[in-house]
């Protein structure tokens, strides 16, 4: 199977890191949704990444759906999320906050690089959403004494948060700063792991 998308995307990166942590071999096609849009469209008409193309040609789209498939593939004992119950709901909530943060950080950088004149109202809204999520995640992570969000074992929520934080820090350093020491420590712990060090790419936003 092969994974489409560049690793500066927090969504592509979280998917690739999960594949590596699960020990699932894959080929990487670092296609850009701007420069390689037609190549992406052959597998995903929305022209978005990540897209995971399975050996039989089936194409899975959106990181959440891809990870759901990978969890099923490796089985509940190895899956990086609880199968059901309160623990799963908490895991999904943290993941949703992280992916929402990443989505707003992406939207804000597009506003900055693709518009000649930025829309002040939109910039302020995105920044407020980013700051709000960071504040909630900081408070919750500071209350957790375990190495990872839900225990001693890394999970999808940890990966999603770390990838979102790296992107936000590179794209908008004035928003992810020293006000968030617990999140800084969480990111550093994750980024020290071999899959995170292997699967990384400096931010290269499209030019307007």
């Amino acid at each position: 199977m092969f994974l489409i998308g560049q690793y500066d995307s927090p969504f592509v990166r979280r998917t690739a890191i999960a594949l590596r942590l699960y020990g699932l071999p894959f080929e990487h096609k670092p296609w850009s949704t701007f420069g390689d849009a037609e190549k992406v469209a052959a597998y995903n008409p929305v022209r978005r990444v990540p897209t995971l193309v399975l050996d039989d040609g089936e194409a899975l789209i959106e990181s959440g759906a891809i990870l759901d498939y990978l969890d099923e593939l490796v089985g509940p004992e190895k899956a990086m999320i609880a199968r059901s119950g309160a623990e799963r709901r908490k895991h999904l909530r943290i993941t949703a906050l992280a992916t929402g943060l990443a989505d707003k950080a992406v939207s804000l950088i597009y506003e900055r690089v693709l518009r000649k004149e930025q829309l002040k109202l939109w910039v302020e809204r995105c920044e407020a959403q980013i700051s709000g999520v960071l504040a909630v995640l900081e408070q919750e992570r500071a209350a957790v004494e375990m190495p990872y969000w839900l225990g001693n074992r890394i999970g999808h929520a940890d990966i999603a948060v770390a990838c979102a934080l790296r992107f936000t820090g590179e794209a908008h350093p004035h928003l992810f700063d020293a006000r968030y020491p617990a999140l800084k420590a969480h990111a550093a712990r994750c980024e020290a792991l071999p899959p995170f060090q292997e699967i990384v790419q400096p931010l290269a936003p499209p030019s307007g």
Side-chain angles (χ1 to χ4, degrees):
M1 57 185 168
F2 58 88
L3 178 66
I4 298 172
Q6 298 191 354
Y7 289 156
D8 62 348
S9 160
F11 303 99
V12 176
R13 190 176 183 228
R14 72 180 287 236
T15 303
I17 289 171
L19 280 162
R20 187 67 78 238
L21 286 170
Y22 278 156
L24 297 171
F26 68 97
E27 181 184 352
H28 179 218
K29 296 190 181 295
W31 297 344
S32 164
T33 54
F34 284 83
D36 303 300
E38 294 308 312
K39 289 182 181 179
V40 177
Y43 300 96
N44 184 349
V46 187
R47 294 169 166 78
R48 293 182 65 180
V49 295
T51 297
L52 182 69
V53 182
L54 306 183
D55 291 340
D56 64 1
E58 180 183 2
L60 305 179
I61 63 176
E62 300 293 343
S63 58
I66 295 170
L67 294 176
D68 185 68
Y69 165 78
L70 298 181
D71 295 340
E72 180 181 340
L73 189 63
V74 301
E77 294 301 318
K78 192 175 180 181
M80 291 186 287
I81 187 171
R83 191 171 186 176
S84 61
E87 183 178 344
R88 180 178 177 85
R89 292 193 300 274
K90 182 177 181 180
H91 210 129
L92 290 173
R93 177 179 176 274
I94 297 301
T95 299
L97 287 170
T99 55
L101 168 64
D103 182 63
K104 290 303 170 182
V106 170
S107 294
L108 187 57
I109 201 168
Y110 283 170
E111 179 72 19
R112 190 175 74 208
V113 303
L114 297 180
R115 279 183 184 268
K116 292 182 179 179
E117 296 184 9
Q118 296 179 30
L119 183 61
K120 184 173 182 289
L121 178 64
W122 181 249
V123 170
E124 290 176 348
R125 177 177 173 81
C126 286
E127 290 190 344
Q129 289 171 301
I130 289 169
S131 296
V133 173
L134 287 172
V136 169
L137 289 175
E138 171 67 19
Q139 182 180 22
E140 296 195 16
R141 190 64 182 94
V144 175
E145 297 180 356
M146 297 174 290
Y148 298 105
W149 221 288
L150 294 174
N152 294 315
R153 181 183 172 203
I154 194 169
H156 289 313
D158 300 292
I159 300 168
V161 170
C163 291
L165 292 177
R166 184 182 187 96
F167 182 91
T168 303
E170 289 188 353
H172 317 290
H174 65 292
L175 295 179
F176 182 46
D177 53 23
R179 290 172 291 174
Y180 309 104
L183 290 180
K184 292 278 187 179
H186 176 86
R189 179 178 292 109
C190 292
E191 294 291 350
L193 298 174
F196 284 81
Q197 295 184 359
E198 173 195 353
I199 297 169
V200 65
Q201 175 184 332
L203 178 61
S207 57

